[in-house]
Amino acid sequence: MKTTSIMIVGVGGQGTLLASKLLGNVLLSQGYDVKVSEVHGMSQRGGSVVTYVRFGEKVYSPVVDLGEADYILSFELLESARWIGYLKKGGRLITNTHRTPPMPVITGAAEYPSNIEARLRELADVTALEAMPLAEQAGSAKAVNVVLVGVLSRSMDIPEENWLRAIEETVPPKFAELNRRAFLLGREGQA
């Protein structure tokens, strides 16, 4: 069995670490060898954050090199552009279309690039959606991460009930139902 590599990218505070923990838990429940590596970057200041999740029969390293990611799960459009070089040929990018301006844009030193989504579509198989309305429908804007995990789950041969069990085991009990709703909205969505 080949090793599958997933990168989860975003900016600090978007829930990339929870998403990687949820993904790792569901993959472990399927009997895979799983390696997760968190690279925090400037997460405390809204900077770029990336997490690697690799799974298969036997995985020796959590690190994903350029051109090796089977999937990139991106919580922010500019982060998709920043990390697209890591996606392998034939890989899939799942991205939130939300824009979180980086500091140079906030200070006026730079402009947020235009046409990012169109440029990404020239490079990869892209599923792009505005995940915030689905997260809000689930009960909290903070659930964007789990909505996007739900979208990713459609590409993986793991039963829905296993995902829901992993959510219950990963998030605090008081947030389990909210995250369950967010996951199902992403999984059953039309994006």
Side-chain angles (χ1 to χ4, degrees), residues 69-111:
D70 296 280
Y71 299 94
I72 294 178
L73 185 64
S74 176
F75 296 180
E76 199 276 336
L77 202 53
L78 189 55
E79 291 302 310
S80 296
R82 182 187 317 273
W83 297 100
I84 192 69
Y86 283 80
L87 194 65
K88 70 171 26 173
K89 185 177 173 123
R92 184 158 178 230
L93 168 66
I94 298 168
T95 185
N96 186 11
T97 56
H98 179 76
R99 295 172 180 222
T100 302
M103 194 53 67
V105 172
I106 292 171
T107 62
E111 288 186 27

Side-chain angles (χ1 to χ4, degrees), residues 39-191:
V39 179
H40 297 273
M42 292 289 290
S43 62
Q44 296 301 313
R45 298 178 188 247
S48 185
V49 178
V50 60
T51 302
Y52 306 113
V53 179
R54 299 187 74 222
F55 67 99
E57 187 174 333
K58 184 65 182 158
V59 179
Y60 296 97
S61 169
V63 178
V64 178
D65 289 323
L66 281 169
E68 289 188 353
D70 296 280
Y71 299 94
I72 294 178
L73 185 64
S74 176
F75 296 180
E76 199 276 336
L77 202 53
L78 189 55
E79 291 302 310
S80 296
R82 182 187 317 273
W83 297 100
I84 192 69
Y86 283 80
L87 194 65
K88 70 171 26 173
K89 185 177 173 123
R92 184 158 178 230
L93 168 66
I94 298 168
T95 185
N96 186 11
T97 56
H98 179 76
R99 295 172 180 222
T100 302
M103 194 53 67
V105 172
I106 292 171
T107 62
E111 288 186 27
Y112 197 98
S114 61
N115 302 320
I116 295 174
E117 188 178 334
R119 291 184 209 166
L120 291 169
R121 289 186 186 282
E122 293 172 3
L123 301 171
D125 174 13
V126 176
T127 298
L129 72 150
E130 180 57 60
M132 183 72 73
L134 293 175
E136 290 171 342
Q137 184 181 338
S140 173
K142 292 182 178 183
V144 164
N145 56 347
V146 180
V147 168
L148 291 168
V149 169
V151 175
L152 173 66
S153 76
R154 293 188 236 154
S155 300
M156 303 176 81
D157 189 23
I158 299 174
E160 184 175 290
E161 60 268 15
N162 295 23
W163 289 97
L164 296 175
R165 189 175 321 111
I167 288 170
E168 289 177 16
E169 294 170 356
T170 305
V171 303
K174 68 181 182 179
F175 298 117
E177 183 56 31
L178 163 76
N179 283 283
R180 182 182 178 282
R181 286 191 304 266
F183 171 81
L184 291 171
L185 286 167
R187 185 171 175 93
E188 297 165 2
Q190 300 303 309

